Every structure is written in C-alpha cells, then in structure tokens.
C-alpha cells in the first residue's frame, strides 16, 4: 500500500493537520493537535494510523521569502520531532499565504463561530495541496 502524506501547520498553541489519500490526490483536514507535552506522541500516532511516509511542514517565510522568527521556531519543532520519529521524511513547504487562503475559504463556507477551531487544519490542507501539486508536476 502506498504511503500517505501528512501536513502540519505548526502554531504556538495548536498544530493544524491534514492527510492525503493513498494516491496523493486529495488533502483532508483532521482536528488540530494541541501543542503541548504530548504533541510528538500524538503526531506519531497519526503517522502510524494513516500510514504516513512523508511529513510536510509549512515554513512561515516573510513576504521577502526569508526565514523569520516563526520559521526558526518551526525548524526547532521539527528537529525535536525527528528525535521522537527519526525515520520520517520531512519536507518544508512555503506557507506564506496559506492562512489567508484558509481564512477566505472559511469566510465563504463556515459560520463565524466555527472558523477559529478550523483555521489551523484548513491551513494544513493548503500546505498539503501545495506539496501534492508540486510533486504531480514532476
């Protein structure tokens, strides 16, 4: 069976999560993971549950395409994650506009009261779509 791709939108409080179908065509949101002391254990569970071979992590670059403070925090998070899950393939994807795309999508499709709880995982869907589109063009 082909391995899936799992995408993460790393935030200080929550991590948005999305997974691909086995063919790498669609991106599906999962409930966000709380960024606490159990975060790496929970991500490992998702990797096992969804038969994940590649982890795609959104890298928040500045508008100039440079790495700022949040990108540094994200890379440190991934370094720590790899200590817990050393055999996972990690790919960074530019996530500069994913939050604004997710907000626009949610404004058009979701009640205002439900948007905050969905924004992280919808952002992860856009990160995953960016990655899946890039590998389908190869």
């Amino acid at each position: 069976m082909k391995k899936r791709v799992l995408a993460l939108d790393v935030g200080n409080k929550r991590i948005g999560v999305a997974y691909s179908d086995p063919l790498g065509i669609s991106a599906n949101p999962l409930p966000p993971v709380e960024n606490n002391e159990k975060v790496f254990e929970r991500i490992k569970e998702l990797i096992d549950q969804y038969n994940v071979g590649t982890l795609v992590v959104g890298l928040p670059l500045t508008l100039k395409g440079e790495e700022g403070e949040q990108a540094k925090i994200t890379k440190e998070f991934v370094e720590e994650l790899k200590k817990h899950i050393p055999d996972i393939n990690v790919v960074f994807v530019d996530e500069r506009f994913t939050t604004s795309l997710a907000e626009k999508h949610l404004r058009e499709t979701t009640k205002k009261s439900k948007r905050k709880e969905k924004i992280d995982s919808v952002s992860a869907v856009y990160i995953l779509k960016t990655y899946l589109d890039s590998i389908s063009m190869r």
Side-chain angles (χ1 to χ4, degrees):
M1 185 174 171
K2 191 169 180 196
K3 298 261 185 182
R4 296 177 193 240
V5 181
L6 190 75
L8 302 179
D9 181 27
V10 178
N12 295 329
K13 294 180 181 178
R14 287 176 308 279
I15 297 172
V17 184
Y19 69 98
S20 73
D21 66 295
L23 298 176
I25 297 169
S26 67
N28 309 288
L30 288 169
V33 173
E34 294 299 316
N35 194 349
N36 58 29
E37 67 280 347
K38 294 184 179 182
V39 68
F40 302 117
E41 178 183 324
R42 181 67 185 123
I43 292 170
K44 173 78 169 106
E45 289 171 0
L46 291 170
I47 287 169
D48 292 341
Q49 179 181 351
Y50 289 95
N51 191 31
V52 171
T54 300
L55 190 63
V56 175
V57 180
L59 190 63
L61 301 175
T62 67
L63 290 178
K64 293 181 178 179
E66 300 167 347
E67 291 184 16
E69 188 60 31
Q70 197 60 41
K72 181 181 173 193
I73 290 168
T74 299
K75 284 188 163 184
E76 289 170 355
F77 176 89
V78 170
E79 285 177 30
E80 192 62 32
L81 177 69
K82 287 180 115 180
K83 291 177 185 174
H84 292 83
I85 313 166
D87 54 339
I88 191 72
N89 177 38
V90 177
V91 177
F92 288 102
V93 170
D94 179 357
E95 70 157 40
R96 274 182 277 190
F97 302 107
T98 58
T99 300
S100 59
L101 288 169
E103 287 170 346
K104 182 179 186 299
H105 172 79
L106 289 171
R107 274 195 308 275
E108 294 170 357
T109 62
T110 307
K111 291 181 182 178
K112 192 172 187 177
S113 62
K114 298 284 185 186
R115 290 180 199 158
K116 188 174 182 179
E117 67 190 55
K118 293 183 176 189
I119 188 72
D120 300 303
S121 293
V122 173
S123 292
V125 166
Y126 279 101
I127 290 166
L128 182 53
K129 283 182 177 182
T130 300
Y131 173 77
L132 294 175
D133 289 348
S134 76
I135 61 170
S136 71
M137 293 181 187
R138 291 182 189 164

